[in-house]
Amino acid sequence: MQIIIMETKFNFKSAICTSREQSKKLLALGLKKETADCVWIEMSKDDWRVDANGWKAYHSIIEEGIAPAWSLHRLMCLLPKHIQVYDDVWKFKRNLHLSIDEDFNIRYEENIDEPCFDKTFWAYDIYQNIIDCIEWLIKGGYFNKEYLV
């Protein structure tokens, strides 16, 4: 059996999970590593071998070289669908609802005209948007405490 890598004119810059740096940030924010659904594994070229069929496979993993990572879907699942924020001016709670638009901006929206408490997270990377959102949710006390250390 032979694996053929096809050339393509497309140049996608997608990622299957958080980068190592993004993973470190999530851990620093207090996310439990058990919420991750992927891992980064550090291995040297000596950790890899080629078997009779030409497949590369690792034969040893060093525990210290494993770091948790989160897929996009897992991060989305961690976000609460609705939160309540307290309005200091009008002295009542406002309901905000999660939305993700076609540009991958993450929003908690009140769905009313001004004044409103909408919060938007936008960058050029949806992973960064979600990480920024999670940071805001944690600092505001809106993030599920079961997911935190």
Side-chain angles (χ1 to χ4, degrees):
M1 175 179 248
Q2 184 177 18
I3 297 176
I4 299 172
I5 298 175
M6 297 176 56
E7 290 292 322
T8 178
K9 65 181 179 179
F10 302 109
N11 189 15
F12 294 114
K13 303 235 185 286
S14 58
I16 60 169
C17 65
T18 52
S19 68
R20 290 175 193 263
E21 293 76 27
Q22 291 168 332
S23 295
K24 286 178 186 175
K25 170 128 188 197
L26 288 168
L27 291 171
L29 289 171
L31 251 65
K32 288 181 180 176
K33 64 182 180 180
E34 294 81 9
T35 63
D37 58 344
C38 299
V39 293
W40 280 102
I41 302 172
E42 288 185 35
M43 300 165 75
S44 71
K45 65 180 181 176
D46 296 329
D47 292 325
W48 291 84
R49 64 177 169 77
V50 178
D51 65 16
N53 293 322
W55 291 88
K56 290 184 176 181
Y58 60 90
H59 62 84
S60 65
I61 299 174
I62 302 169
E63 184 66 31
E64 300 86 45
I66 297 176
W70 288 260
S71 69
L72 182 57
H73 185 257
R74 179 57 57 93
L75 288 174
M76 292 170 76
C77 289
L78 294 175
L79 297 176
K81 307 300 181 253
H82 311 281
I83 61 171
Q84 286 188 333
V85 297
Y86 186 72
D87 181 345
D88 289 328
V89 175
W90 298 99
K91 306 294 184 207
F92 67 90
K93 292 183 179 182
R94 296 182 179 261
N95 295 313
L96 303 182
H97 308 282
L98 174 66
S99 73
I100 302 173
D101 68 19
E102 66 276 0
D103 293 322
F104 303 120
N105 297 314
I106 310 295
R107 279 193 187 94
Y108 277 95
E109 299 177 303
E110 194 173 4
N111 294 326
I112 64 167
D113 292 331
E114 298 294 331
C116 65
F117 282 76
D118 292 0
K119 182 67 175 171
T120 302
F121 303 90
W122 58 275
Y124 295 108
D125 179 344
I126 189 169
Y127 284 97
Q128 192 58 52
N129 292 345
I130 293 178
I131 292 167
D132 292 344
C133 181
I134 288 173
E135 181 175 14
W136 175 76
L137 289 167
I138 290 171
K139 288 179 178 178
Y142 311 121
F143 198 72
N144 188 335
K145 309 256 185 296
E146 291 180 31
Y147 302 151
L148 299 173
V149 178

